[in-house]
Amino acid sequence: MIRMLCRKRGLAIPETAFGSLESRIPPLLTPGAAEAFAVKIYRQVGTGTATLEDVLAESLTEYQSPIAPEVMAFQIQIAASEATALEFVPTVFRRKSTG
């Protein structure tokens, strides 16, 4: 998602450069947070002298989720429990039936 959002702004992140940074991408990055992340990268590349890869690496290192982990877990739990069919819920978020 980050590569696509950056590409939309004219910043092409080569897969070779992204591959080494992929493990640093925060889990459960929301679309809004990914968009804000891409805008930050765009601004820093446009106004500074650092390369896109350097800005991306630094941004990933300094990233702090705007949503607390316990809030995210609660939101996921609610969404999973309200899904109309389990096929819409990723396996990792499905709760085991107790009945």
Side-chain angles (χ1 to χ4, degrees):
M1 184 183 316
I2 292 171
R3 286 182 70 213
M4 183 271 308
L5 290 169
C6 285
R7 185 174 48 242
K8 184 172 131 181
R9 289 170 177 75
L11 301 174
I13 302 171
E15 191 157 341
T16 53
F18 195 74
S20 64
L21 299 172
E22 196 168 8
S23 64
R24 292 188 192 173
I25 295 174
L28 306 175
L29 189 65
T30 65
E35 181 77 27
F37 188 77
V39 168
K40 176 184 176 182
I41 293 168
Y42 173 77
R43 286 183 180 159
Q44 287 184 343
V45 168
T47 60
T49 57
T51 66
L52 172 59
E53 289 83 5
D54 288 344
V55 169
L56 182 59
E58 181 180 339
S59 296
L60 285 170
T61 300
E62 295 177 357
Y63 180 79
Q64 178 176 310
S65 177
I67 302 171
E70 59 274 3
V71 172
M72 180 71 80
F74 180 69
Q75 291 173 340
I76 291 169
Q77 178 187 2
I78 290 172
S81 68
E82 292 182 354
T84 56
L86 277 181
E87 67 186 283
F88 299 126
V89 180
T91 306
V92 69
F93 300 123
R94 294 180 188 174
R95 294 171 74 182
K96 294 185 179 180
S97 176
T98 58

